[in-house]
Structures are given as structure tokens and as C-alpha cells.
Amino acid sequence: MSSLNISNNDLNTQNNHQTKLKKFFTKSKKDNPQLSKAHELMEQKNFHESIIYYTRVLDKHPGSYSARCDRAYAYHQMFKWNSALQDLGIAIQRHPQKPRAYALRGEVYRLMEKFDMAMIDLSKSLKLQQNAFAFRARAEVNCSLAKYAEAISDFNSALNLEPNNSYTLTRRSKVYCNLKLFPEALDDLDNVLMLDPRNTSSTLANRGEVYRLIGRFDMALADLNSALEREENNTLALERRGALFRQMGKNVEALMDFDNILKLNPKSVFGHKNRGEIYQALGNLNEALYNFDEALKLERDNLSLLKHRSEIHRLLGNYQSAINDLNHALSIEPNDAFLLRGRGEVYRLIQCFDLSLTDFDKALEIDPGNAFALTSRGEVYRMLRKGAEALNDLDNAITLIPNNLLARESRGALNRTFRRYEEALRDLDYALQLKPSSVFALANRGAIYYMLSRYYEAQIDLDKALEYDPNHAFTLETRGALYNTLGKYDKALSDLDRALSIEPENSWALCYRGEVLFTLEKYDEALEDLNRVLDLQPNWCYPLSVRGALYRSLGCYTKALEDLTSSLRNAKDRAYNIKYENKALLNRGSVYRIIGKFDEALIDFNKALLRDPNNIFGLCERSYVYYSLEMYDYALLDINVVLVIDPHNSFAQNLKSKVEFAQNDKNLNDDNKDNF
């Protein structure tokens, strides 16, 4: 709470002052027993019965100004605004120069939030006769209009007429708090404590709130504890102590106070709202949701409650419920940037990116410096592969809030897709300093380490990410690819199967699994995975290169050439796809060798081995081409490199024997020709 409220005791004090304004409120020319009974009932606050007696008086004396005003006051106490206004209109019509009816009507208009009309009537009353009631009521109107200087002036005028009015002092202390004039607020409340010992508990609650606002938690707690010792069921003191405990980080103690508030008043919106916020902070989302549900049953149009509940629904994955709350809130306040950003975020999570962008765009029109909207819009652009737009938003968001975790994570992932690995690592390292348990940052950094062939570091990050979230599909697919590269095929299949059980259409996981199954010579299963991907993305170079290699292994050379040539033609990002481009070159070269197209084979092998000079498969295949072309010296050069790398390579050993035998046979034939 950022300002002082009025307790029930304060209201009682106000009512006592109002009913004791002597001639101003109770003036009557007739000693009438019905009127005396009406006044007695009014003093007892039995407003319903008092209206009956005032009506009897007015039936006999319809021109009685005081009885008309008294009945209007009773109607006002029962919130029967129209009846009160009807009586006051008659009183003013008959006696336009008397101030009381104007003052009362101004107060009714204030309570109806018709502030312009209230100001006219209250000013008219004060022009006719200065009175504390009208000054106080006009001060409240000025407070509602945030005209705090004018409110102070009116409260001062009321106190000039009634210097010891504790209610007016209490209300002025609230305005001083709004103006951050806390010493003055404390002075007023200190005076109230001396003037009105009957309401000590409520005044201590008010003073405790002032101490809380200025950060004097020890003094605040002392006052609030003292207030509750005097009156254990003082809901105002419980509310404020609960708020104080929350600010002090003592959530358990705060919950106890809010529980007590709800025992006293099960329909306390304040109690349910604060309990909901505490449970939300503690991660108990279901309990938080229950409390926000209860609060919204009482105030269905409360924007703060709708914001909180929509966030809980979003966190619980109840996306449609979250959207319903946000739609309702936006129907009340259509230009609330927070609400627009919140709905845009839900649309982002359910991948309704067009709707998401519409909300983020509008939120940023209203609040261009909203770092959270920039971050979320940047993330949407990243998902839509609009890299330049994404980077612009994320750069701006991080400039505004350097410790923006989501923006750091998103920009790190974006730079990973741009192959800007150093920039990506800087952001992801920063993100992990902010939140060491960030699965997103760990998974993306692990993926970068994998791309950089830093397999040990990749394993550490990916393992840690899966400790925090065992079902994170991206991490599972990346670790599956890592295990495949490390030759740990059973572990690779386990991870990839899990990833696909979570996201059955995950194209990367299908490709990786297809490659593992191909390596394990499970060709039918591998083809099933690769075909599923290529049915949807027929020009994707990675699955084409794997399927082409598989067709080569099956002896389907025409299909193999089609896939491998298509893969090489569609390898747009050669810096990233160089590994798969090389595999396609090597496999196509092998097919060309098998079908006897040795020149084409050499072109492919030379290109691949220029990039990867120690590739054993490529060296063996090229040596075989040289052998087939009777270029034995070149064949032996490649074979010798293989045997240096892998001295026990049986294919190279056998091929070397063949080459040497053929070379010797050729040399012998050449010698025989020369001798002949």
C-alpha cells in the first residue's frame, strides 16, 4: 500500500463529528417527539429506522429544511444516493441560501465520483458559510483529482475551524504521504494519538504505514504490533503488517496475517490478492490461482488481479484462460502496454506470431522504451527467422536493461544461428551468470560447443541442462547429435527417441536419428525418418546428404546421385553445412567411382579432401580411383597417409597390396617391352 486508508474507527469518528455539528446539522424549529426519536436513532446509527421517523416528520412538515437534510444524510449513510439527492434537491430549491444541503449534496456527488458537480456544490456551501464538513469534503475531492496542494489548503481551513478534529488530521496525514512530506504526516498522527485515545489502534496502524514508507521497518513493526496488541482484530493493522512483512521478505509471517484477515473477512480482496502474490513468489502456482480466483469473484474488473491471474495461467500452461483474462482486462483498459505485452507473450508461446507481433507493436507505440516488449518481439522475430529485426530489438532491450536475462538468452541463440559464436558465447555466459540454472542458455551454449567440436564442454552443458529439465527437446536432440559424433550410438538413440516423443515432428531430431540408424545399418528405419523430413522440406541439404549416402550403401546409385547432387546444390550456408557438404561430396565421389565415372569422382574427392585432408574414407576412395586409373604413385600416396593415421586399416592394407602388385606388374611389363 502506498497511502493511508480509513479504518472503521476513523469512519466512526467522522460520523460522530458529522452528527454533532449542532445547529449546522440538527437545527429544528419544533420540539417534535417524532423528530427527537429520529435524532436518537441517527445517533445510534440506525439509519433505516431514522428514515421512517424523518418521513413521518416530513409528512406533517414538508417544508422542514433540517428534517429534509437529516433524512438525506441517513439515505447517504445507506448508499441510497438517488433518494439522498432527491431530498437535497428539494431542500436547495426551497432554501437556496442555506449551506447545509449544498455540503451534503457535494459529499454525495463525491462518493458517486461526480467530482465536478461535487466541487460546485461544496464551493457554493463554503461561499454561503465556512464549515469544516464542506472543507473536508472538498479536500477529499481534490485528493481524488490528485490536487494535493489544494487538498492540504482545504484540510488546513477545516482545522482552523476545528483544530482538534482527529479525523481531519488523519486525512491530512494521508495527503502529506502522497506528497512525500512524511515528517508532517507523522506530526499529524502524533497529535491524533494525543487527541483521540479511543482510536489509538487505528492511528498506530496509520503511523506504522508511514514508517514503512520511509523505510523505518523497526518503528513500523513496533507500531503495528502495538496496534494489534490493543485490538487483535484490527484488519487495517493486519493488512499493513502483512504488507510490511512482505517487504521485509518474511513471507511466512505475512501469510499468517493475511490468513487472519480472511478469517475475519472471507471476502477481503486485499487478503486474497496478497496471499496470491506471495504464493506466486513462492512458486505455489495452484494456491496462488485459487486466491486470485476468489478475489476476482469479488471484483471481476480488477485490472491488477486480472494481470496476476493471467500470468499464473500462462505459467501453468493454461494459455486460453490467460488470453481470456487479458482480453477482459483490455476491454477495460485497451491501451495498457503491460496487458498488450502480456497477451503478446501468450500468443508467442502458442506460436500465433502474427497476433503476437500486433500486440507487441501496439505496446511499443504506447511505450517505446518498454524493454520487455522489445525483448519479446525480438524473440518472435528470431523464431520467424527475421534476424535483422530480432537483433535490432534485442540490442535495444539490452541497452535499456543490461541484465535482461531473456534478451541475453535470445540474442545468444540468434547469434548462434548467425554462426557468430564469440558474440553468442558472450551473451550466454552473461545469461548464466544471471541465472546458472537457465536451461535455454545451457542448451544453446552446449550446441555452440558442439558446433565448435568442443565436445567435452558441450557434454557438460547439455548434461546440466537435462538435470534441470529432463524433457527439454532441443537439449535432447543436441546431445543425441553429440553422442552420434562420439560414436555412442545407443545413447544417441535414447536421447533422440525421447526428443521425438516430446516433439514428434522435430525435423532435426528425425535427421539425427536417421543418421544414427543409417550408421547402425538399420536402413528401413533410417529411410522412414529421412523421408518424413524430406516430404516436408524436399530441398534440405542435410537429410538429402544422409539419404544419398544410404542409397549408395543400398546400391541405389541413381537415387543416390539425385539426392547427393540436390544436397550440394542446396547447401546455401556452406560455412555451417561444410561437414554435410563434404559428406555429400565424398559419397557422390564414391558413387561416381562405382559406376566408373572416375574424372567426376576425382573432382569431388579433391574438393572434399582439400577441406579435410585426413579424411580416411575420402583418401581410401580417391586412392581406389587412382588405382583404377593406373595412377599408382598417387594411389600409394593416399594409402600411406591413411596408414599413418590408422596403421591397422585393413581396407588400406589390402588396397596397398593390390596397388603395389599392379605397379610391379606394370613395371615388369614395361621392362619386357623395352627388352623386346
Side-chain angles (χ1 to χ4, degrees):
M1 292 172 11
S2 61
S3 60
L4 299 176
N5 293 327
I6 310 174
S7 70
N8 290 331
N9 287 331
D10 292 329
L11 287 172
N12 293 339
T13 303
Q14 179 190 19
N15 293 336
N16 288 337
H17 286 298
Q18 291 167 347
T19 56
K20 293 179 180 179
L21 285 178
K22 298 181 180 178
K23 292 182 180 179
F24 188 69
F25 281 104
T26 60
K27 182 178 179 182
S28 175
K29 294 180 179 179
K30 299 183 181 295
D31 185 11
N32 185 319
Q34 299 283 342
L35 186 61
S36 297
K37 182 64 175 177
H39 288 337
E40 180 184 341
L41 291 166
M42 181 81 86
E43 289 284 348
Q44 296 170 0
K45 298 184 174 54
N46 187 342
F47 301 114
H48 178 74
E49 292 294 323
S50 71
I51 287 171
I52 294 172
Y53 281 91
Y54 282 126
T55 301
R56 291 174 183 174
V57 172
L58 288 167
D59 285 343
K60 292 184 178 180
H61 307 284
S64 172
Y65 181 82
S66 61
R68 185 77 61 181
C69 288
D70 284 340
R71 188 172 71 172
Y73 180 78
Y75 280 134
H76 142 271
Q77 287 292 322
M78 296 182 66
F79 309 107
K80 293 184 176 181
W81 312 127
N82 290 331
S83 296
L85 290 174
Q86 185 176 359
D87 270 348
L88 294 168
I90 293 170
I92 289 169
Q93 185 179 13
R94 291 179 176 176
H95 300 280
Q97 297 305 311
K98 290 189 176 183
R100 186 185 176 203
Y102 288 111
L104 281 172
R105 192 169 70 175
E107 175 67 358
V108 172
Y109 281 140
R110 180 185 76 83
L111 294 170
M112 295 174 71
E113 299 186 355
K114 296 182 178 182
F115 299 126
D116 291 342
M117 298 173 75
M119 190 66 77
I120 292 170
D121 274 353
L122 293 167
S123 297
K124 177 69 172 178
S125 175
L126 289 166
K127 185 176 181 181
L128 293 170
Q129 177 188 333
Q130 290 197 351
N131 62 87
F133 179 89
F135 275 125
R136 192 162 44 241
R138 194 171 69 177
E140 296 289 0
V141 174
N142 282 318
C143 285
S144 299
L145 298 173
K147 296 180 177 180
Y148 299 124
E150 293 89 335
I152 291 290
S153 177
D154 278 343
F155 280 131
N156 289 343
S157 296
L159 287 164
N160 286 335
L161 296 171
E162 296 178 355
N164 296 327
N165 187 304
S166 59
Y167 175 78
T168 308
L169 286 166
T170 299
R171 297 302 294 159
R172 187 173 69 175
S173 71
K174 174 189 175 181
V175 183
Y176 280 140
C177 283
N178 289 334
L179 293 170
K180 302 190 184 305
L181 299 172
F182 299 115
E184 290 83 347
L186 289 172
D187 285 342
D188 275 353
L189 294 171
D190 288 343
N191 288 330
V192 173
L193 283 170
M194 291 187 292
L195 292 168
D196 190 7
R198 292 174 303 171
N199 289 309
T200 296
S201 178
S202 293
T203 306
L204 286 169
N206 282 325
R207 193 172 69 176
E209 176 69 358
V210 179
Y211 281 133
R212 182 186 75 83
L213 291 170
I214 62 176
R216 291 298 306 273
F217 296 158
D218 53 340
M219 301 288 285
L221 191 57
D223 270 357
L224 293 166
N225 286 341
S226 182
L228 288 163
E229 286 170 8
R230 286 172 168 79
E231 186 185 346
E232 65 178 354
N233 292 336
N234 185 329
T235 55
L236 183 65
L238 284 169
E239 287 178 359
R240 287 174 175 167
R241 191 173 70 174
L244 176 63
F245 280 141
R246 283 193 66 188
Q247 198 167 348
M248 296 170 72
K250 295 183 176 182
N251 286 325
V252 174
E253 292 87 341
L255 277 175
M256 291 175 63
D257 277 347
F258 295 125
D259 287 345
N260 286 330
I261 289 169
L262 290 168
K263 286 177 185 175
L264 295 168
N265 178 15
K267 294 186 177 182
S268 169
V269 173
F270 184 87
H272 282 301
K273 178 178 183 291
N274 276 272
R275 277 214 319 182
E277 289 175 0
I278 292 172
Y279 281 125
Q280 182 177 357
L282 294 173
N284 190 340
L285 301 182
N286 289 316
E287 193 65 33
L289 183 59
Y290 165 78
N291 278 279
F292 290 130
D293 283 345
E294 292 300 306
L296 280 161
K297 288 176 185 176
L298 301 165
E299 291 186 10
R300 68 179 303 273
D301 294 335
N302 186 307
L303 286 178
S304 177
L305 293 171
L306 287 166
K307 288 177 182 179
H308 278 293
R309 191 171 70 175
S310 69
E311 186 175 358
I312 296 295
H313 279 312
R314 176 177 62 79
L315 292 170
L316 288 171
N318 304 331
Y319 298 127
Q320 188 55 56
S321 295
I323 290 171
N324 291 342
D325 276 349
L326 291 163
N327 286 344
H328 183 184
L330 284 163
S331 71
I332 300 166
E333 187 54 67
N335 293 319
D336 187 307
F338 181 93
L339 293 170
L340 288 163
R341 174 190 168 270
R343 190 172 66 180
E345 182 69 5
V346 179
Y347 283 140
R348 179 182 75 83
L349 292 170
I350 62 176
Q351 298 191 355
C352 292
F353 294 133
D354 289 343
L355 292 172
S356 181
L357 285 177
T358 298
D359 276 349
F360 290 139
D361 289 345
K362 187 172 181 181
L364 287 164
E365 285 176 13
I366 298 165
D367 182 10
N370 188 316
F372 300 102
L374 284 167
T375 299
S376 294
R377 189 173 70 176
E379 176 65 6
V380 172
Y381 281 139
R382 184 182 75 84
M383 296 297 292
L384 293 172
R385 298 184 181 180
K386 295 184 176 182
E389 294 91 332
L391 194 58
N392 182 61
D393 275 354
L394 295 170
D395 285 346
N396 288 332
I398 290 170
T399 299
L400 291 167
I401 303 178
N403 289 343
N404 187 327
L405 175 63
L406 178 58
R408 291 282 182 181
E409 290 176 335
S410 186
R411 193 171 71 175
L414 181 64
N415 278 322
R416 175 181 67 79
T417 61
F418 286 160
R419 324 302 169 220
R420 298 171 181 168
Y421 297 131
E422 291 302 321
E423 293 93 327
L425 286 174
R426 276 198 294 272
D427 273 337
L428 295 170
D429 288 345
Y430 198 116
L432 287 164
Q433 289 176 9
L434 297 172
K435 184 182 178 184
S437 61
S438 169
V439 173
F440 186 91
L442 286 166
N444 275 274
R445 191 172 71 175
I448 291 171
Y449 286 145
Y450 168 65
M451 293 172 181
L452 294 173
S453 301
R454 293 163 62 175
Y455 300 137
Y456 177 76
E457 294 159 286
Q459 180 92 56
I460 291 172
D461 274 357
L462 297 170
D463 287 349
K464 190 177 292 185
L466 289 167
E467 286 176 14
Y468 292 121
D469 182 359
N471 296 316
H472 195 261
F474 176 74
T475 310
L476 286 166
E477 84 179 43
T478 306
R479 194 173 70 172
L482 173 64
Y483 281 141
N484 179 39
T485 301
L486 296 175
K488 299 178 180 180
Y489 303 121
D490 290 341
K491 288 185 174 181
L493 278 180
S494 176
D495 275 355
L496 295 167
D497 286 345
R498 280 173 59 197
L500 287 163
S501 70
I502 298 163
E503 295 181 359
E505 301 305 317
N506 186 317
S507 56
W508 279 101
L510 284 167
C511 288
Y512 290 141
R513 190 172 70 176
E515 189 172 5
V516 175
L517 292 167
F518 165 50
T519 303
L520 295 173
E521 298 183 0
K522 296 181 178 182
Y523 298 137
D524 290 341
E525 295 172 62
L527 272 177
E528 184 178 345
D529 280 350
L530 297 168
N531 287 339
R532 280 176 63 187
V533 176
L534 288 166
D535 284 344
L536 297 173
Q537 302 177 68
N539 297 319
W540 189 6
C541 62
Y542 168 35
L544 282 168
S545 71
V546 178
R547 192 174 70 176
L550 191 154
Y551 281 141
R552 180 190 67 82
S553 298
L554 292 173
C556 302
Y557 301 127
T558 301
K559 288 184 176 180
L561 282 177
E562 287 177 359
D563 274 355
L564 295 167
T565 300
S566 181
S567 172
L568 290 164
R569 184 170 55 248
N570 290 292
K572 297 177 182 177
D573 188 352
R574 298 183 185 278
Y576 174 59
N577 292 303
I578 189 168
K579 180 171 73 170
Y580 297 108
E581 186 182 15
N582 263 20
K583 284 186 177 182
L585 285 167
L586 292 169
N587 278 283
R588 190 174 69 173
S590 179
V591 173
Y592 281 141
R593 176 190 65 78
I594 292 168
I595 64 177
K597 293 189 174 183
F598 299 129
D599 291 338
E600 291 87 340
L602 276 179
I603 291 171
D604 280 351
F605 289 137
N606 288 339
K607 189 173 183 179
L609 287 166
L610 185 64
R611 295 170 175 171
D612 186 7
N614 295 322
N615 186 291
I616 291 175
F617 176 80
L619 289 165
C620 288
E621 284 286 318
R622 189 171 67 178
S623 69
Y624 207 106
V625 173
Y626 285 138
Y627 165 67
S628 300
L629 293 171
E630 298 184 1
M631 300 169 69
Y632 302 126
D633 290 337
Y634 287 109
L636 287 172
L637 285 172
D638 281 348
I639 292 170
N640 288 333
V641 173
V642 172
L643 291 171
V644 168
I645 300 168
D646 181 8
H648 304 293
N649 188 301
S650 58
F651 180 87
Q653 289 173 344
N654 291 332
L655 184 57
K656 183 174 183 180
S657 297
K658 288 182 180 180
V659 173
E660 288 176 341
F661 179 82
Q663 187 178 46
N664 290 333
D665 187 55
K666 181 182 178 185
N667 290 338
L668 182 61
N669 289 333
D670 288 344
D671 289 342
N672 289 335
K673 287 180 181 179
D674 290 341
N675 292 333
F676 180 77

